[in-house]
Short mmCIF file of all heavy atoms in Angstrom, two decimals:
data_model
loop_
_atom_site.label_atom_id
_atom_site.label_comp_id
_atom_site.label_asym_id
_atom_site.label_seq_id
_atom_site.Cartn_x
_atom_site.Cartn_y
_atom_site.Cartn_z
N ASP A 57 94.53 80.72 96.09
CA ASP A 57 95.41 80.32 97.20
C ASP A 57 95.72 81.48 98.14
O ASP A 57 96.54 81.35 99.06
CB ASP A 57 96.72 79.74 96.65
CG ASP A 57 97.49 80.72 95.78
OD1 ASP A 57 97.13 81.92 95.75
OD2 ASP A 57 98.46 80.30 95.12
N GLY A 58 95.06 82.64 97.92
CA GLY A 58 95.21 83.76 98.83
C GLY A 58 96.21 84.81 98.39
O GLY A 58 96.24 85.92 98.94
N ARG A 59 97.05 84.48 97.38
CA ARG A 59 98.00 85.47 96.92
C ARG A 59 97.30 86.57 96.13
O ARG A 59 96.33 86.31 95.41
CB ARG A 59 99.09 84.81 96.06
CG ARG A 59 100.09 84.00 96.85
CD ARG A 59 101.13 83.36 95.95
NE ARG A 59 100.55 82.34 95.07
CZ ARG A 59 101.25 81.64 94.18
NH1 ARG A 59 102.55 81.85 94.07
NH2 ARG A 59 100.65 80.73 93.44
N GLN A 60 97.82 87.78 96.24
CA GLN A 60 97.27 88.93 95.55
C GLN A 60 98.30 89.48 94.55
O GLN A 60 99.46 89.69 94.90
CB GLN A 60 96.89 90.03 96.55
CG GLN A 60 95.78 89.64 97.51
CD GLN A 60 95.49 90.75 98.51
OE1 GLN A 60 96.40 91.22 99.19
NE2 GLN A 60 94.22 91.15 98.60
N VAL A 61 97.85 89.67 93.31
CA VAL A 61 98.73 90.18 92.24
C VAL A 61 98.18 91.52 91.78
O VAL A 61 96.97 91.64 91.51
CB VAL A 61 98.80 89.20 91.05
CG1 VAL A 61 99.82 89.69 90.02
CG2 VAL A 61 99.16 87.80 91.53
N ARG A 62 99.06 92.51 91.70
CA ARG A 62 98.63 93.84 91.26
C ARG A 62 99.55 94.36 90.15
O ARG A 62 100.75 94.08 90.12
CB ARG A 62 98.63 94.82 92.44
CG ARG A 62 97.60 94.51 93.50
CD ARG A 62 96.19 94.70 92.98
NE ARG A 62 95.20 94.46 94.03
CZ ARG A 62 94.61 93.30 94.28
NH1 ARG A 62 94.97 92.22 93.56
NH2 ARG A 62 93.72 93.18 95.23
N LYS A 63 98.95 95.15 89.28
CA LYS A 63 99.67 95.78 88.16
C LYS A 63 99.12 97.19 88.00
O LYS A 63 97.90 97.39 87.93
CB LYS A 63 99.44 94.97 86.88
CG LYS A 63 99.97 95.61 85.61
CD LYS A 63 99.53 94.82 84.38
CE LYS A 63 98.00 94.92 84.20
NZ LYS A 63 97.52 94.14 83.04
N GLY A 64 100.00 98.20 87.97
CA GLY A 64 99.50 99.56 87.83
C GLY A 64 100.61 100.59 87.92
O GLY A 64 101.81 100.28 87.79
N ALA A 65 100.20 101.86 88.12
CA ALA A 65 101.16 102.96 88.24
C ALA A 65 102.14 102.67 89.37
O ALA A 65 101.77 102.11 90.42
CB ALA A 65 100.42 104.27 88.49
N VAL A 66 103.41 103.04 89.16
CA VAL A 66 104.47 102.71 90.12
C VAL A 66 104.16 103.23 91.52
O VAL A 66 104.25 102.49 92.51
CB VAL A 66 105.82 103.26 89.63
CG1 VAL A 66 106.91 103.00 90.69
CG2 VAL A 66 106.22 102.59 88.32
N ASP A 67 103.77 104.51 91.62
CA ASP A 67 103.52 105.07 92.95
C ASP A 67 102.32 104.41 93.62
O ASP A 67 102.30 104.21 94.84
CB ASP A 67 103.34 106.58 92.88
CG ASP A 67 102.18 106.99 91.99
OD1 ASP A 67 101.81 106.19 91.10
OD2 ASP A 67 101.63 108.09 92.17
N ALA A 68 101.32 104.03 92.82
CA ALA A 68 100.13 103.38 93.38
C ALA A 68 100.47 102.00 93.92
O ALA A 68 100.03 101.59 95.01
CB ALA A 68 99.03 103.29 92.33
N VAL A 69 101.26 101.24 93.16
CA VAL A 69 101.65 99.89 93.59
C VAL A 69 102.57 99.97 94.80
O VAL A 69 102.50 99.14 95.72
CB VAL A 69 102.32 99.13 92.43
CG1 VAL A 69 102.86 97.77 92.91
CG2 VAL A 69 101.33 98.92 91.28
N LYS A 70 103.46 100.98 94.83
CA LYS A 70 104.35 101.17 95.99
C LYS A 70 103.53 101.36 97.26
O LYS A 70 103.80 100.72 98.30
CB LYS A 70 105.25 102.40 95.76
CG LYS A 70 106.44 102.13 94.85
CD LYS A 70 107.21 103.42 94.54
CE LYS A 70 107.72 104.08 95.78
NZ LYS A 70 108.52 105.29 95.47
N LYS A 71 102.51 102.22 97.18
CA LYS A 71 101.67 102.47 98.36
C LYS A 71 100.95 101.20 98.79
O LYS A 71 100.79 100.93 99.98
CB LYS A 71 100.67 103.59 98.05
CG LYS A 71 101.31 104.96 97.90
CD LYS A 71 100.27 106.02 97.57
CE LYS A 71 100.90 107.39 97.39
NZ LYS A 71 99.91 108.44 97.03
N TRP A 72 100.51 100.43 97.83
CA TRP A 72 99.78 99.19 98.14
C TRP A 72 100.69 98.19 98.84
O TRP A 72 100.32 97.54 99.83
CB TRP A 72 99.22 98.60 96.84
CG TRP A 72 98.42 97.35 97.03
CD1 TRP A 72 97.13 97.25 97.47
CD2 TRP A 72 98.86 96.00 96.80
NE1 TRP A 72 96.74 95.94 97.52
CE2 TRP A 72 97.78 95.15 97.11
CE3 TRP A 72 100.06 95.45 96.36
CZ2 TRP A 72 97.87 93.77 97.00
CZ3 TRP A 72 100.15 94.07 96.24
CH2 TRP A 72 99.07 93.25 96.56
N VAL A 73 101.92 98.06 98.35
CA VAL A 73 102.89 97.14 98.96
C VAL A 73 103.28 97.61 100.35
O VAL A 73 103.36 96.82 101.31
CB VAL A 73 104.14 97.01 98.05
CG1 VAL A 73 105.26 96.26 98.79
CG2 VAL A 73 103.78 96.27 96.77
N GLN A 74 103.54 98.91 100.48
CA GLN A 74 103.92 99.45 101.79
C GLN A 74 102.80 99.29 102.81
O GLN A 74 103.07 99.06 104.01
CB GLN A 74 104.31 100.93 101.64
CG GLN A 74 105.64 101.14 100.92
CD GLN A 74 105.92 102.61 100.62
OE1 GLN A 74 105.00 103.42 100.53
NE2 GLN A 74 107.20 102.95 100.46
N ALA A 75 101.55 99.42 102.35
CA ALA A 75 100.41 99.27 103.26
C ALA A 75 100.34 97.86 103.83
O ALA A 75 99.76 97.64 104.90
CB ALA A 75 99.12 99.61 102.54
N GLN A 76 100.96 96.89 103.13
CA GLN A 76 100.96 95.50 103.61
C GLN A 76 102.26 95.14 104.31
O GLN A 76 102.49 93.98 104.64
CB GLN A 76 100.73 94.55 102.42
CG GLN A 76 99.39 94.78 101.72
CD GLN A 76 99.15 93.75 100.63
OE1 GLN A 76 98.66 92.66 100.92
NE2 GLN A 76 99.52 94.08 99.42
N GLY A 77 103.10 96.17 104.51
CA GLY A 77 104.35 95.92 105.23
C GLY A 77 105.49 95.46 104.37
O GLY A 77 106.51 94.97 104.88
N GLY A 78 105.34 95.59 103.06
CA GLY A 78 106.40 95.17 102.15
C GLY A 78 107.53 96.19 102.05
O GLY A 78 107.39 97.34 102.46
N VAL A 79 108.65 95.74 101.43
CA VAL A 79 109.83 96.59 101.24
C VAL A 79 109.96 96.94 99.75
O VAL A 79 109.82 96.06 98.89
CB VAL A 79 111.11 95.90 101.73
CG1 VAL A 79 112.33 96.78 101.51
CG2 VAL A 79 110.98 95.54 103.21
N ILE A 80 110.29 98.19 99.46
CA ILE A 80 110.42 98.65 98.07
C ILE A 80 111.84 98.39 97.58
O ILE A 80 112.81 98.79 98.25
CB ILE A 80 110.08 100.15 97.96
CG1 ILE A 80 108.70 100.43 98.56
CG2 ILE A 80 110.16 100.60 96.50
CD1 ILE A 80 107.57 99.65 97.92
N PRO A 81 112.03 97.72 96.44
CA PRO A 81 113.37 97.47 95.91
C PRO A 81 114.13 98.77 95.69
O PRO A 81 113.56 99.78 95.26
CB PRO A 81 113.11 96.75 94.59
CG PRO A 81 111.75 96.14 94.75
CD PRO A 81 110.98 97.09 95.61
N ALA A 82 115.43 98.76 95.94
CA ALA A 82 116.25 99.97 95.85
C ALA A 82 116.35 100.50 94.42
O ALA A 82 116.51 101.71 94.20
CB ALA A 82 117.64 99.68 96.40
N ASP A 83 116.29 99.59 93.42
CA ASP A 83 116.47 100.02 92.02
C ASP A 83 115.15 100.33 91.31
O ASP A 83 115.14 100.61 90.11
CB ASP A 83 117.25 98.97 91.23
CG ASP A 83 116.56 97.60 91.27
OD1 ASP A 83 115.61 97.43 92.06
OD2 ASP A 83 117.00 96.70 90.53
N LEU A 84 114.03 100.26 92.01
CA LEU A 84 112.73 100.49 91.39
C LEU A 84 112.61 101.90 90.82
O LEU A 84 112.23 102.09 89.66
CB LEU A 84 111.60 100.23 92.39
CG LEU A 84 110.18 100.54 91.89
CD1 LEU A 84 109.80 99.59 90.75
CD2 LEU A 84 109.16 100.45 93.03
N GLU A 85 112.94 102.89 91.62
CA GLU A 85 112.76 104.28 91.19
C GLU A 85 113.65 104.61 90.00
O GLU A 85 113.20 105.25 89.04
CB GLU A 85 113.05 105.22 92.36
CG GLU A 85 112.78 106.68 92.01
CD GLU A 85 112.93 107.59 93.22
OE1 GLU A 85 113.18 107.07 94.34
OE2 GLU A 85 112.82 108.82 93.06
N ALA A 86 114.90 104.17 90.04
CA ALA A 86 115.84 104.48 88.96
C ALA A 86 115.39 103.86 87.64
O ALA A 86 115.41 104.51 86.59
CB ALA A 86 117.24 103.99 89.33
N LYS A 87 114.96 102.58 87.70
CA LYS A 87 114.53 101.92 86.47
C LYS A 87 113.21 102.49 85.95
O LYS A 87 112.98 102.59 84.74
CB LYS A 87 114.41 100.41 86.70
CG LYS A 87 115.76 99.74 86.89
CD LYS A 87 115.64 98.22 87.00
CE LYS A 87 117.02 97.57 87.11
NZ LYS A 87 116.95 96.10 87.20
N GLY A 88 112.34 102.88 86.89
CA GLY A 88 111.08 103.52 86.48
C GLY A 88 111.32 104.85 85.81
O GLY A 88 110.72 105.19 84.78
N ASN A 89 112.26 105.64 86.37
CA ASN A 89 112.59 106.94 85.79
C ASN A 89 113.25 106.80 84.42
O ASN A 89 113.06 107.62 83.52
CB ASN A 89 113.51 107.73 86.73
CG ASN A 89 112.78 108.20 87.98
OD1 ASN A 89 111.55 108.30 87.99
ND2 ASN A 89 113.52 108.49 89.04
N ALA A 90 114.04 105.74 84.26
CA ALA A 90 114.71 105.51 82.97
C ALA A 90 113.68 105.25 81.87
O ALA A 90 113.81 105.75 80.74
CB ALA A 90 115.67 104.32 83.10
N ILE A 91 112.66 104.48 82.19
CA ILE A 91 111.59 104.21 81.22
C ILE A 91 110.84 105.50 80.89
O ILE A 91 110.58 105.81 79.73
CB ILE A 91 110.62 103.14 81.76
CG1 ILE A 91 111.34 101.79 81.87
CG2 ILE A 91 109.39 103.02 80.87
CD1 ILE A 91 110.52 100.70 82.55
N ALA A 92 110.50 106.27 81.93
CA ALA A 92 109.75 107.51 81.72
C ALA A 92 110.55 108.52 80.91
O ALA A 92 109.99 109.26 80.09
CB ALA A 92 109.36 108.11 83.08
N SER A 93 111.89 108.58 81.12
CA SER A 93 112.71 109.54 80.40
C SER A 93 112.78 109.25 78.91
O SER A 93 113.08 110.12 78.10
CB SER A 93 114.13 109.55 80.98
OG SER A 93 114.79 108.32 80.72
N GLU A 94 112.50 108.01 78.52
CA GLU A 94 112.49 107.63 77.11
C GLU A 94 111.10 107.76 76.50
O GLU A 94 110.86 107.34 75.37
CB GLU A 94 112.98 106.19 76.96
CG GLU A 94 114.44 106.00 77.35
CD GLU A 94 114.89 104.56 77.23
OE1 GLU A 94 114.08 103.73 76.76
OE2 GLU A 94 116.03 104.26 77.59
N GLY A 95 110.16 108.32 77.29
CA GLY A 95 108.81 108.52 76.77
C GLY A 95 107.90 107.35 76.99
O GLY A 95 106.75 107.36 76.53
N GLY A 96 108.39 106.30 77.70
CA GLY A 96 107.56 105.14 77.97
C GLY A 96 106.78 105.29 79.26
O GLY A 96 106.92 106.28 79.99
N THR A 97 105.95 104.30 79.53
CA THR A 97 105.16 104.29 80.77
C THR A 97 105.52 103.04 81.56
O THR A 97 105.32 101.92 81.06
CB THR A 97 103.66 104.30 80.47
OG1 THR A 97 103.33 105.46 79.72
CG2 THR A 97 102.85 104.27 81.76
N PRO A 98 106.05 103.18 82.80
CA PRO A 98 106.35 102.00 83.60
C PRO A 98 105.14 101.56 84.41
O PRO A 98 104.48 102.37 85.05
CB PRO A 98 107.48 102.49 84.51
CG PRO A 98 107.22 103.96 84.68
CD PRO A 98 106.54 104.42 83.41
N LEU A 99 104.82 100.27 84.35
CA LEU A 99 103.78 99.69 85.19
C LEU A 99 104.47 98.71 86.15
O LEU A 99 105.22 97.82 85.72
CB LEU A 99 102.74 98.93 84.37
CG LEU A 99 101.82 99.73 83.45
CD1 LEU A 99 100.82 98.78 82.79
CD2 LEU A 99 101.10 100.81 84.21
N ALA A 100 104.23 98.90 87.44
CA ALA A 100 104.83 98.00 88.43
C ALA A 100 103.99 96.74 88.59
O ALA A 100 102.75 96.79 88.51
CB ALA A 100 104.96 98.72 89.77
N VAL A 101 104.65 95.61 88.82
CA VAL A 101 103.99 94.33 89.04
C VAL A 101 104.39 93.82 90.43
O VAL A 101 105.59 93.71 90.74
CB VAL A 101 104.39 93.29 87.97
CG1 VAL A 101 103.69 91.96 88.24
CG2 VAL A 101 104.06 93.80 86.58
N ALA A 102 103.38 93.54 91.25
CA ALA A 102 103.65 93.11 92.62
C ALA A 102 102.87 91.85 92.96
O ALA A 102 101.75 91.64 92.47
CB ALA A 102 103.29 94.22 93.60
N VAL A 103 103.49 91.01 93.78
CA VAL A 103 102.84 89.81 94.31
C VAL A 103 102.91 89.92 95.83
O VAL A 103 104.01 89.92 96.41
CB VAL A 103 103.54 88.52 93.84
CG1 VAL A 103 102.78 87.30 94.34
CG2 VAL A 103 103.67 88.50 92.32
#
């Protein structure tokens, strides 16, 4: 139906969304950093 779904590194997905004129959620960075600080890996999901 034309929709594009992406999953990957937070900074990579941010660049992809911004390249299409999208807006980055205000709490994305904080929640991503919280996962990383606990030793986890955050993967961003975008539509």
Side-chain angles (χ1 to χ4, degrees):
D57 60 10
R59 286 179 294 179
Q60 296 178 306
V61 185
R62 293 293 183 268
K63 172 187 67 181
V66 175
D67 60 336
V69 174
K70 281 174 59 177
K71 291 179 181 178
W72 181 78
V73 169
Q74 289 173 336
Q76 299 184 85
V79 179
I80 306 302
D83 57 350
L84 176 66
E85 185 174 356
K87 290 185 176 180
N89 289 339
I91 293 173
S93 67
E94 295 179 4
T97 300
L99 292 183
V101 179
V103 183

